[in-house]
Amino acid sequence: QNEIENTETYVNSSPNTDTLFGRGDDELSGTCFGIGEHLVLNVLPAPSFGLLPAYSFCTGSSVTISSLGAAEDYSYQWYEQGELIGAEESIIIDNSGSYSVIATTTAGCSSKAVEFEVHESAPPVLTSELIIVDANGDTATVTVNNDNGELGLGIYEYALDSPFGPFQTSPIFERVAAGLHTIYAVDQNGCGADKIIFGVVGLPKFFTPNNDTINDEFSVLGLTEDFYQKATLFIYNRYGALLAQIDAMNSNWNGADMPPSDYWYELQLIDTQGVRTKTTGHFTLKQ
């Protein structure tokens, strides 16, 4: 009864152990020569352990990888793209790539290959060329260009004007006010950080030259030599007469002896790449 028809791929029906019966017959007479519990099938446990799907190390260092939650003491074989690179309980890796490990029990049962990735990480390097400021009225959208890993080998998070965050994975900051700001970038794997000061160029809507130390001069906000090599500010009255021409990188307009009124300006900028831009607008002098 219950003959095992496919003896090449027999699968036991009860866990861990199974008893098999065998019978021998004389093909000519049909005589049965014996039947009995001639074979006990014991299923030995396969290795049970875990690994993280990915590991990282900082440039110039390495990462030590060991199995997690192993059910017992196994022997291990570590591979890099199919080539055996180690047979210890753990392995030290200092190259990015695809790896795998096979564990074997003392009874000789081996696991399937468990694959994992190793990535090199590095501190970010922020430069002025990677900060894109897109002015939009009184504010700007600021983007850190890391589309192709320009900052480095790591995975980074960003914060605006505070080294303590909040940090965000998006490299885009919206509605950034005119003035000088600082972007902080940190590696998610703890390999380092960097910061850079940049400016959103803008001019105030009014100023009050009354010597109270608050808004006493009309000045261009957000200028920094890391982004601009020259800034020239022209001041006009409401009739278009030129009142002043100022090196805005080094000076402001104090509006001395000018009556309260609306005035016009023209700001000419040359950035560090030699690109010229011109902005015009108006402001109010209040007493």
Side-chain angles (χ1 to χ4, degrees):
Q1 296 178 353
N2 302 322
E3 178 182 357
I4 300 174
E5 296 180 352
N6 187 350
T7 58
E8 298 296 327
T9 58
Y10 172 71
V11 178
N12 57 305
S13 57
S14 58
N16 302 323
T17 186
D18 205 356
T19 300
L20 305 183
F21 295 83
R23 189 183 76 186
D25 292 339
D26 184 340
E27 293 183 352
L28 295 178
S29 65
T31 302
C32 174
F33 287 102
I35 185 169
E37 300 179 6
H38 298 299
L39 177 62
V40 176
L41 174 63
N42 290 316
V43 180
L44 302 176
S48 175
F49 68 101
L51 284 179
L52 298 178
Y55 296 84
S56 65
F57 65 93
C58 299
T59 299
S61 63
S62 60
V63 58
T64 300
I65 301 174
S66 302
S67 65
L68 303 174
E72 59 180 81
D73 291 333
Y74 303 131
S75 60
Y76 298 90
Q77 291 180 307
W78 304 89
Y79 296 88
E80 181 180 10
Q81 296 182 345
E83 180 180 351
L84 182 65
I85 58 172
E88 303 297 328
E89 182 177 353
S90 61
I91 191 166
I92 299 174
I93 296 178
D94 58 5
N95 285 310
S96 297
S98 299
Y99 297 84
S100 63
V101 61
I102 295 175
T104 303
T105 67
T106 55
C109 296
S110 296
S111 68
K112 295 181 179 180
V114 178
E115 299 180 347
F116 59 95
E117 298 287 328
V118 176
H119 304 284
E120 182 178 355
S121 197
V125 179
L126 288 167
T127 61
S128 59
E129 293 81 6
L130 300 178
I131 307 300
I132 302 171
V133 180
D134 185 11
N136 183 19
D138 295 333
T139 62
T141 298
V142 181
T143 303
V144 182
N145 181 18
N146 192 37
D147 292 342
N148 298 303
E150 287 85 354
L151 265 66
L153 295 173
I155 301 175
Y156 304 111
E157 294 180 340
Y158 311 89
L160 182 66
D161 293 333
S162 172
F164 306 107
F167 283 87
Q168 61 186 47
T169 57
S170 171
I172 300 174
F173 296 91
E174 297 181 337
R175 301 184 63 82
V176 181
L180 294 178
H181 300 273
T182 303
I183 281 183
Y184 298 86
V186 298
D187 176 49
Q188 289 185 352
N189 295 311
C191 292
D194 197 9
K195 66 179 181 179
I196 189 171
I197 297 175
F198 70 96
V200 175
V201 175
L203 293 99
K205 296 296 184 181
F206 68 92
F207 80 112
T208 56
N210 55 10
N211 295 320
D212 66 351
T213 70
I214 302 174
N215 297 326
D216 278 340
E217 294 184 320
F218 184 70
S219 59
V220 180
L221 305 175
L223 291 177
T224 169
E225 293 181 351
D226 290 333
F227 288 81
Y228 299 98
Q229 55 178 299
K230 187 175 182 180
T232 306
L233 179 65
F234 300 89
I235 306 294
Y236 302 88
N237 65 15
R238 65 172 61 187
Y239 305 106
L242 179 64
L243 302 178
Q245 178 178 331
I246 300 168
D247 175 10
M249 297 292 294
N250 301 296
S251 302
N252 302 320
W253 188 56
N254 59 19
D257 302 325
M258 300 304 299
S261 181
D262 288 335
Y263 294 85
W264 291 84
Y265 68 83
E266 178 182 295
L267 176 63
Q268 297 181 2
L269 297 172
I270 303 177
D271 67 16
T272 53
Q273 306 301 314
V275 177
R276 298 173 179 267
T277 58
K278 181 173 68 174
T279 304
T280 61
H282 63 88
F283 62 97
T284 301
L285 187 157
K286 298 181 178 181
Q287 293 291 357

